[in-house]
Every structure is written in structure tokens, then in C-alpha cells.
Amino acid sequence: MARPQVRAVFLKPELSPRTELPYQAAGLIALFNHVGLLTLFAAFAIWPMVVFNFLSIAIFVVVLVLIRQRRVGLGLFIAIGEVIVHQILAVHFTGWEPGFQLYLPLVGALPLMLPQVPTARRFALASIPVLAFVALFFLHDPSPPNPFPEPVANVLQLINLLIAFCVPWIFVYYFRHGAELVEADLARAALRAEKLLNSILPPSIVERLREGQVVADSFDDVSILFCDIVGFTSLAQKKSPEALVRMLDEVFADFDDLVEQRGLEKIKTIGDAYMVAAGVPEALEDHAQRLAELALAIRASSRDYAANTGEALSLRIGMHRGVAVAGVIGKSKFAYDIWGDAVNTAARMESHGEPGRIHISSEMADVLRDRFEVSPRGEIEIKGMGVMPTFWLEGARPGGGPR
């Protein structure tokens, strides 16, 4: 029979290191306070209290270790137990005048700030020292022999009063300080998440998703680019997985920079294929020209990489413009994607292209001729689309090329 799971809510509430700060501060104050009390009781030969303070010092060392281990509830439970016994003994041996009983209601406030513990249980733990104070008040003789001279007793009363006032302030300060550190950590984490999200999705799409909108847009005129590494399968067989991934990362990272410089949208990579859209999610009047500039820059970047590394790296690039639909689908691992005639035809331009060349449709060529050199390839059979006239993008015209 399976052993029932016990919820030890007092023993180990899940705290971050930041929220442990006030409990560490309270434990350290108690530890040093007991060192001072040990010296005081030894000076006046109150030996039972000397022995108990040796034990108390050991107890608070254990409490601090428990707090460091994130077992704050157990540490606090032990500490409250020690304080109750200590103050009852102190009142028994020294009377009410030095003011040791003042610590009982003080420690009752500490459990109220335990996180992830039901409110009823927090108040139950907080009530224990308060009930001990009430019981001590009604059941104990308030006037036992005072072992301290009156000036010493007065000073002790003043010190205990000051500590009773100051400890809550110190505790609240550290609690607030810990909360501020946690808030700062959360803000940094949120910023990192925001940057990551904006690197995956366009910022305007992120904002729409935050508002709970369904992201689905149609575009009458967008431009799409596909590029693919020629002979990637044979290239992959010659490299280790680490070297292959490193090469793709270096090549595509350069492409990412070129896309960002032109205000275009990288849609995705599929293995060794790279897809870019121009005119989504925000419309651009010169989307075709910007994409042509990108195609030429990507080709130049791949040639530079091949020359610098000695890699046999060559690209096939295809482009088309036309109608498309874009949006975000799914509930997990979603991405901004685009579908439609512009995408299908651009993919065919790439797959029917040639290594090192930029293959474009007639629709693309028509809007690029003013600023770019295009040469006819002629009519060719395009899989699934029939015979189509296509062109090569050769470069920028003098004075009309990349800006």
C-alpha cells in the first residue's frame, strides 16, 4: 500500500534565496543576542540560564543552516519554540522587570509572513508565543527575587524594549529588500522573455497575441524568398553534427542580420532552407526591391563565407510576389507563418533554379527592372504550375542598386 503523502507546510515552504533574507537576518540577530545574554547571565551567576543559552546558541546555528537549506518553516518553528522556553525561564529566574517577556509577542509576528502556507496555519503558529505570553502573565508570580541591581535591571528593560521595537523594523526592512530583489529578478526574467518572444515573432504580432486576438491576415501583394544550400546532403555526410550545426548557425546568423537591416521578416528555417517575407506583417511599398537587395546580399555573404572558410558553399535562391495569408496557429511552439500562391511559387523558383543564381518569376521581374539587371531564362516547365516564363536576377543597375 502506498504511503500517503504528507504536506509539511510548516517544514519546507518553497522560498527563493531572495525571500529568505529576512529570516536569515532574524536568525543572526537572535544568535548574537543569545551570545550577549550568555555573558550577562554568567556575570550574575544565573547558571541555569547560562546552560540554556549555550543550548540556544547551538539551536540558532542549526536554524540558520535550515534557512540556508530553504527549510525556513522548520527553522522558524524551532526558533519560536526556543524563544518561548527561553523567555519563560528568563522570567522565572529574573522576574518581569528586565522585560524578557517582551520577546514573546514579537516572535508571534514572524510566521505571518511565511509564503505558500495557508492563512489559518500561519495564524495558528503565530498564536503559540502569544498564548505563552498570556499564560505567563496569569499563571506566573510577577514578583520573583530580582538577581540584578536596579540600574542593571533598568538598562536590561530598556535594551529589551528597544530590541522589541527594532527587530520588527529590521525584519520588515529585509523582507521589503528581499521583495525588491525578487521583483528585480522577475523584471530581468520578463525582459529576457520579451526579447526571446520578439526574436521569434514580429513585435506587432506579439502585441496582438497578448490582447487575445486571433492572428490571421491576408495580403494582396507580398514578396517571398527561399534559399537552399546546394548539395547539402553530401556536405552533411562529410561533417560531424557539431560542425554542421556550427556552419549553419554562422551562415544563417549573417542572413538574419541582412534581413533585419532591410526591415524584412524572417519566417523560418527548414533544415538548410531559409525563408523570408517582405511586406508582412506590415505593408511595404517597395517590398520587392528590398527583397531583391536581400537576395543579392545573401548570395554575396555565402560567397564570402565560402572564400574565407574553404567550404564548398553555394545557394539556390528563388523569389516571387503575389497573394498570401499569414498568421499564428496552434497552442504550443507556435510561430508566425505564411501560406499561399506567393509562397508556393517562390519555393518552385528556388527548386527549379541553378547553383549561385537568383531565379525569379515574371511578376517579380516586372517590378525590379527599373533598379536591377534581370535576364530572361525563357519558358520552363514548373512542377505543378505548368510552363512559366522566368528570369534571373543578375545585380543592381548603376545608381539604382542596394541603398
Side-chain angles (χ1 to χ4, degrees):
M1 184 176 176
R3 185 177 180 180
Q5 184 178 6
V6 178
R7 291 185 62 200
V9 293
F10 285 149
L11 301 187
K12 194 177 180 181
E14 291 299 325
L15 292 180
S16 72
R18 302 301 196 189
T19 51
E20 290 167 10
L21 281 174
Y23 298 98
Q24 292 174 358
L28 285 170
I29 292 170
L31 179 63
F32 289 116
N33 190 33
H34 281 80
V35 171
L37 290 173
L38 187 150
T39 305
L40 171 71
F41 292 130
F44 288 91
I46 309 174
W47 302 117
M49 293 305 300
V50 172
V51 173
F52 190 81
N53 273 272
F54 271 116
L55 178 62
S56 297
I57 291 169
I59 288 173
F60 275 98
V61 170
V62 172
V63 167
L64 287 170
V65 171
L66 290 172
I67 292 172
R68 291 296 299 271
Q69 293 177 348
R70 302 181 68 185
R71 303 179 69 182
V72 175
L74 177 58
L76 188 58
F77 189 79
I78 293 172
I80 289 175
E82 187 283 333
V83 171
I84 292 172
V85 176
H86 188 284
Q87 307 323 314
I88 290 175
L89 290 175
V91 171
H92 175 74
F93 287 106
T94 67
W96 293 92
E97 189 175 350
F100 289 107
Q101 68 278 5
L102 296 173
Y103 291 98
L104 290 172
L106 165 65
V107 297
L110 303 187
L112 298 178
M113 296 188 183
L114 275 175
Q116 299 184 6
V117 174
T119 301
R121 299 191 185 188
R122 276 184 282 167
F123 275 99
L125 188 59
S127 67
I128 296 173
V130 178
L131 292 174
F133 177 83
V134 174
L136 192 63
F137 181 83
F138 284 105
L139 300 178
H140 190 269
D141 181 5
S143 303
N146 184 354
F148 303 117
E150 186 175 351
V152 174
N154 291 337
V155 170
L156 278 175
Q157 188 179 57
L158 178 61
I159 291 173
N160 288 329
L161 278 169
L162 289 174
I163 293 175
F165 275 109
C166 291
V167 167
W169 297 344
I170 294 171
F171 188 84
V172 170
Y173 167 78
Y174 275 103
F175 199 90
R176 180 58 196 163
H177 181 57
E180 289 173 349
L181 292 174
V182 171
E183 289 170 358
D185 288 343
L186 289 174
R188 284 191 290 269
L191 182 60
R192 288 193 298 269
E194 181 79 10
K195 289 181 178 179
L196 179 60
L197 192 58
N198 284 327
S199 70
I200 297 172
L201 298 171
S204 61
I205 300 300
V206 172
E207 190 61 34
R208 289 168 65 183
L209 288 173
R210 279 205 189 97
E211 295 172 357
Q213 298 181 23
V214 175
V215 179
D217 301 310
S218 61
F219 299 91
D220 294 332
D221 189 20
V222 297
S223 297
I224 306 295
L225 174 148
F226 279 94
C227 75
D228 188 79
I229 298 176
V230 178
F232 180 77
T233 301
S234 60
L235 184 65
Q237 292 172 347
K238 300 174 185 177
K239 288 182 171 292
S240 68
E242 294 80 7
L244 183 66
V245 171
R246 184 165 55 250
M247 184 196 77
L248 286 175
D249 180 62
E250 291 173 356
V251 171
F252 287 168
D254 287 341
F255 293 179
D256 290 348
D257 291 338
L258 296 172
V259 170
E260 186 177 359
Q261 289 166 13
R262 288 159 178 81
L264 307 181
E265 192 64 41
K266 171 187 172 182
I267 300 300
K268 58 187 171 183
T269 59
I270 309 170
D272 62 314
Y274 191 88
M275 178 183 178
V276 181
V280 297
E282 308 299 334
L284 295 170
E285 290 185 4
D286 59 344
H287 56 84
Q289 289 80 5
R290 293 195 194 195
L291 200 65
E293 293 174 7
L294 175 68
L296 294 170
I298 282 177
R299 183 173 66 178
S301 173
S302 66
R303 289 173 175 173
D304 290 343
Y305 182 86
N308 294 333
T309 62
E311 296 282 0
L313 183 67
S314 180
L315 301 180
R316 270 196 315 268
I317 302 175
M319 294 195 303
H320 177 65
R321 61 180 295 215
V323 177
V325 173
V328 177
I329 58 174
K331 294 193 296 185
S332 64
K333 296 184 179 179
F334 48 78
Y336 185 69
D337 209 345
I338 186 167
W339 310 269
D341 174 71
V343 176
N344 298 333
T345 305
R348 292 288 185 266
M349 292 297 102
E350 180 274 315
S351 62
H352 288 71
E354 294 180 358
R357 306 203 74 177
I358 303 170
H359 193 204
I360 63 175
S361 64
S362 59
E363 289 86 352
M364 201 74 177
D366 289 342
V367 297
L368 295 181
R369 284 192 176 94
D370 290 343
R371 286 178 47 194
F372 298 90
E373 296 283 353
V374 296
S375 61
R377 185 184 186 184
E379 293 187 344
I380 62 170
E381 180 76 26
I382 302 295
K383 182 179 178 181
M385 297 183 175
V387 177
M388 294 176 59
T390 63
F391 297 78
W392 300 115
L393 175 64
E394 305 291 359
R397 291 184 181 277
R403 292 167 295 179

